[in-house]
Amino acid sequence: MKLFERFYPDEYQDSVYEINFEALYNAGYRGVIFDIDNTLVPHGAPADKRSIALFDRLRMIGYESLLLSNNKEPRVKMFNDEVHSKYIYKAGKPSTKNYFKAMELMHTTPETTMFVGDQLFTDVWGAKKAGIRTWLVKPIHPKEEVQIVLKRRLEWIVLFFYKRSKGRYASLK
């Protein structure tokens, strides 16, 4: 459905941990912007061994990284204390302002930056409006805040049409 295309991700993966960052670096990408909650760890959780290893791997490949979160600073800083990335809190996604600020901090452009997140109407839509290639990943854990649960219902509709346009009829959950 044409109306929903503005929300379609460029790529859709089960998990951030399945993305081939080495191949993307070889294709010219130099910066990765991440959402935190339900993208890298369950909502509100601290960085775990898997997320710490991912950021170490990204640094070894040569990437700049940045955490872009609508959360307040204590939440973002708690996670970042373990992964050691740049970050922007209270980002106001889907506004493009802080996507552009993120690229400025990483010294990248829309053509050399990618975004990874778990929500269509904030994460993906904001990055797309900023001209950044987007990866939507499935939420790590079903426990979420009420306002996010309500958005998920609408996302299922958009994902249905997205998957149909790509020839994917997998489960929407």
Side-chain angles (χ1 to χ4, degrees), residues 7-154:
F7 303 111
Y8 289 179
D10 296 307
E11 307 293 336
Y12 185 48
Q13 297 274 165
D14 284 341
S15 168
V16 65
Y17 302 102
E18 295 176 4
I19 297 171
N20 186 341
F21 289 104
E22 289 82 1
L24 292 163
Y25 189 86
N26 290 337
Y29 290 92
R30 296 297 180 261
V32 188
I33 304 170
F34 290 99
D35 177 54
I36 301 171
D37 288 326
N38 258 341
T39 298
L40 294 163
V41 292
H43 187 80
D48 56 15
K49 289 179 183 177
R50 189 167 66 159
S51 58
I52 294 166
L54 174 63
F55 281 82
D56 288 343
R57 180 175 142 219
L58 292 171
R59 274 189 290 281
M60 285 180 26
I61 296 168
Y63 280 106
E64 290 289 327
S65 66
L66 187 135
L67 304 169
L68 188 66
S69 177
N70 283 348
N71 278 302
K72 294 177 182 171
E73 187 173 23
R75 163 62 183 133
V76 180
K77 186 177 181 323
M78 174 189 67
F79 184 87
N80 191 58
D81 283 347
E82 299 296 323
V83 300
H84 311 291
S85 182
K86 295 175 176 75
Y87 68 86
I88 298 172
Y89 61 93
K90 292 174 72 175
K93 295 180 287 183
S95 169
T96 59
K97 176 185 172 192
N98 284 311
Y99 289 90
F100 288 114
K101 183 177 178 184
M103 288 185 282
E104 183 182 314
L105 291 170
M106 294 188 302
H107 307 289
T108 61
T109 65
E111 297 77 25
T112 62
T113 306
M114 65 184 104
F115 181 89
V116 183
D118 70 301
Q119 293 187 54
L120 288 175
F121 302 132
T122 52
D123 298 333
V124 170
W125 190 31
K128 284 182 67 101
K129 290 189 303 179
I132 299 169
R133 187 171 175 190
T134 59
W135 267 259
L136 178 69
V137 295
K138 291 182 180 177
I140 289 175
H141 194 275
K143 184 177 183 284
E144 297 181 297
E145 296 175 345
V146 171
Q147 71 273 18
I148 296 172
V149 170
L150 296 174
K151 284 193 280 186
R152 292 283 186 215
R153 302 284 185 228
L154 296 172

